Structure formats: C-alpha cells, structure tokens
C-alpha cells in the first residue's frame, strides 16, 4: 500500500467511524466535498494544514490519524 493510499484509507475509516458523509466532513473542515472525495480516492495528498483541519473536524488528533497511516504502511522507526 502506498502512502497516499494509506492516508486515504485512514480518512475513510475515521470518517465512517464517526458516521459522517464526505459532505459533512468537508463542511466541518472547511473543504469542498470534491476535495474530500479526491483525498479518499488517493488522488490528492493533503497538506499538513489539511491534516490538522481534517483531524479537528473528525475529533481526533493529527497524531492519531498518522498513527493509523503508519500501521497501514508498516512503518517502523529506526
């Protein structure tokens, strides 16, 4: 799984866990639902600012979102 796919999967998982639509997440985070869709289909990389905004809208920390990404790609620090 690529990093972009892992970010997409982590966003979908977090959004669905909170029972939000892409439209609701976009509204809460201040983004167009089309952008959310592109992120969730691994068509775009989110900026650091977007990660923070999306995390806040999801009610989680950016670290929690990135921990899920790390698990999905099998990242192990040296």
């Amino acid at each position: 799984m690529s990093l972009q796919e892992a970010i997409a999967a982590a966003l979908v998982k977090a959004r669905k866990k909170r029972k939000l639509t892409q439209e609701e997440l976009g509204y809460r985070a201040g983004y167009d639902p089309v952008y959310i869709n592109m992120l969730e289909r691994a068509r775009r990389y989110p900026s650091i600012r977007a990660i923070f905004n999306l995390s806040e809208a999801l009610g989680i920390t950016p670290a929690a979102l990135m921990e899920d990404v790390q698990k999905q790609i099998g990242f192990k620090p040296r």
Side-chain angles (χ1 to χ4, degrees):
M1 176 179 286
S2 73
L3 177 60
Q4 198 163 352
E5 291 168 333
I7 292 169
L11 282 172
V12 170
K13 181 178 166 184
R15 178 178 61 78
K16 287 186 176 183
K17 183 176 180 180
R18 283 145 191 88
K19 298 180 179 156
L20 296 173
T21 65
Q22 289 179 343
E23 291 79 15
E24 290 168 327
L25 177 57
Y27 177 78
R28 290 180 183 199
Y31 296 109
D32 191 285
V34 173
Y35 177 65
I36 303 300
N37 182 271
M38 291 177 77
L39 291 174
E40 289 189 359
R41 290 185 303 125
R43 301 286 188 244
R44 296 279 309 264
Y45 271 110
S47 67
I48 295 295
R49 179 175 299 241
I51 289 171
F52 273 75
N53 291 342
L54 291 164
S55 297
E56 183 178 11
L58 290 164
I60 58 175
T61 65
L65 185 63
M66 290 297 99
E67 282 175 23
D68 191 27
V69 172
Q70 286 178 283
K71 288 177 189 172
Q72 292 189 52
I73 62 171
F75 178 81
K76 296 182 189 213
R78 296 180 187 190

